Amino acid sequence: MDPTLTHDCGPVSIRLIRQRDARVLQRELEQNRQWLQPWEATLPTASVSIDMRVGIRRLLQQYRDGNSYPFVMLYNGEVVGQLSIWGVMRGSLCSATIGYWISERWAGRGITPTAVALATDLAFSQLGLHRIEICIRPENVASVRVVQKLGFRYEGLRPSYIHIDGDWRDHWAFALVEGEIPEGLVARWLRAQHESSDT
């Protein structure tokens, strides 16, 4: 694995997932079942296992294949959630999607938007991507706030887009292209926080 795929901003950082993260992620998933279940991807024809050892092996294989960049989100060095740059398309598209989850006890502290900003900057500066998309169920108010805070552009409704919590769910699509944030998304996010604290 590429050890340079680590980014940080103050106490928040992201780094590539490791097999030894399985235990803590498994515990977080189990302790946050009610919190996460309404937003978790499911399979239309089978149940989804939350065995993180198996899940991390799959994620790392997708990373080796160049299809995904799976990260853990950390706060002061403690694993608090997971974030992936997935569905990587190269060639004339150079696009990918970001998905994420955070433990309930860490929500509302600015960790998720900071981690998404870090991942977006990494995608543009190190991974050679041109466009990042985030698709969110309209009912997921907290995640919608994340993309709104970061200035992702709303692109429209995708009906019955992803199988979530046992059924095909509508999603709102949000995106950014590299040229929209020449200074980087972390810099823009930090500036917005500073300006809001001054008012």
Side-chain angles (χ1 to χ4, degrees):
M1 290 196 299
D2 185 348
T4 65
L5 288 185
T6 300
H7 262 26
D8 62 79
C9 177
V12 180
S13 60
I14 59 171
R15 66 157 168 78
L16 279 175
I17 202 167
R18 303 170 183 157
Q19 197 64 54
R20 64 177 176 264
D21 294 320
R23 177 180 286 179
V24 64
L25 288 171
Q26 182 83 38
R27 185 186 70 232
E28 294 300 327
L29 285 173
E30 289 170 355
Q31 291 177 354
N32 287 270
R33 289 306 299 148
Q34 275 192 299
W35 165 255
L36 296 172
Q37 186 173 340
W39 324 118
E40 283 183 337
T42 47
L43 298 174
T45 57
S47 61
V48 176
S49 167
I50 59 166
D51 184 338
M52 279 309 300
R53 291 171 301 173
V54 173
I56 289 174
R57 279 198 293 273
R58 286 189 191 130
L59 289 171
L60 291 175
Q61 184 59 56
Q62 291 169 5
Y63 167 69
R64 288 188 289 271
D65 292 342
N67 301 322
S68 177
Y69 296 87
F71 298 93
V72 288
M73 295 191 291
L74 304 117
Y75 186 74
N76 288 324
E78 181 177 349
V79 174
V80 297
Q82 192 178 346
L83 179 151
S84 287
I85 301 171
W86 62 276
V88 176
M89 302 291 288
R90 297 291 180 180
S92 57
L93 194 56
C94 290
S95 179
T97 298
I98 287 179
Y100 49 84
W101 63 265
I102 189 168
S103 297
E104 184 175 14
R105 71 183 184 278
W106 294 105
R109 303 183 191 207
I111 297 169
T112 303
T114 303
V116 170
L118 287 166
T120 302
D121 282 356
L122 186 147
F124 292 153
S125 66
Q126 289 184 245
L127 305 183
L129 296 176
H130 164 72
R131 180 177 180 278
I132 286 293
E133 177 176 279
I134 298 177
C135 295
I136 303 167
R137 288 185 62 184
E139 302 88 348
N140 192 343
V141 175
S143 273
V144 171
R145 276 201 307 265
V146 167
V147 293
Q148 289 173 336
K149 286 177 186 176
L150 293 173
F152 274 74
R153 178 178 16 85
Y154 175 69
E155 291 194 330
L157 176 70
R158 294 198 176 158
S160 300
Y161 183 57
I162 303 175
H163 203 269
I164 300 283
D165 192 26
D167 204 356
W168 294 103
R169 309 291 183 176
D170 295 350
H171 280 67
W172 283 341
F174 299 84
L176 278 176
V177 296
E178 185 177 11
E180 292 177 277
I181 46 167
E183 77 275 30
L185 191 52
V186 170
R188 187 167 81 178
W189 166 235
L190 292 176
R191 187 177 69 246
Q193 285 184 297
H194 179 72
E195 289 170 358
S196 68
S197 68
D198 285 347
T199 58

